[in-house]
Amino acid sequence: QVQLVESGGGSVQPGESLRLSCVVSGLLLAPVPVGWFRQAPGKGREAVSCVDNGDGDKYYIDSVKGRFTISRDNPQNTFYLQMNSLKPEDAGVYYCATVVLVRDPDTMEPRSCYGIDYWGKGAPVTVSL
């Protein structure tokens, strides 16, 4: 049985940091692209960041570029989202998932990603004074 379990969510003030972790069990992480998604109250789920297998190519939504960093530790079957300089608009429930990266056909750079097959149950993040 494959499980993805998030941890590290919480309540912080604007400008502070959080690191989300996603522990994967029942599935070897190394060959699998993975990513993070978030859903704010009253809004749809959006892809925040994804990484190809082998800690290769990465995708970030524009609003988090320069502030968030995705990484993976394949031997630990765990991947992470380091979130710095958090803003109120970053608040929501964060989900980890296995993903497919969508690449630009000319440059082959990741331009988006979407979740497929396996999802965690979510970790809430609140950013407020």
Side-chain angles (χ1 to χ4, degrees), residues 11-61:
S11 182
V12 297
Q13 296 186 351
E16 295 186 338
S17 299
L18 284 172
R19 188 174 84 152
L20 302 180
S21 300
C22 181
V23 177
V24 180
S25 60
L27 176 72
L28 186 64
L29 180 61
V32 180
V34 291
W36 292 92
F37 299 76
R38 69 185 177 194
Q39 186 165 18
K43 296 188 177 180
R45 191 175 298 186
E46 63 179 355
V48 176
S49 180
C50 297
V51 58
D52 204 352
N53 56 340
D55 199 22
D57 293 336
K58 300 175 182 178
Y59 163 80
Y60 295 97
I61 193 172

Side-chain angles (χ1 to χ4, degrees), residues 64-101:
V64 309
K65 287 180 179 177
R67 300 188 296 121
F68 289 14
T69 303
I70 191 170
S71 61
R72 55 194 298 160
D73 184 342
N74 290 334
Q76 295 296 321
N77 244 41
T78 302
F79 61 102
Y80 307 94
L81 186 68
Q82 177 67 42
M83 305 186 293
N84 297 331
S85 302
L86 281 159
K87 303 177 180 180
E89 52 264 41
D90 295 318
V93 179
Y94 282 70
Y95 300 88
C96 61
T98 54
V99 306
V100 172
L101 273 80

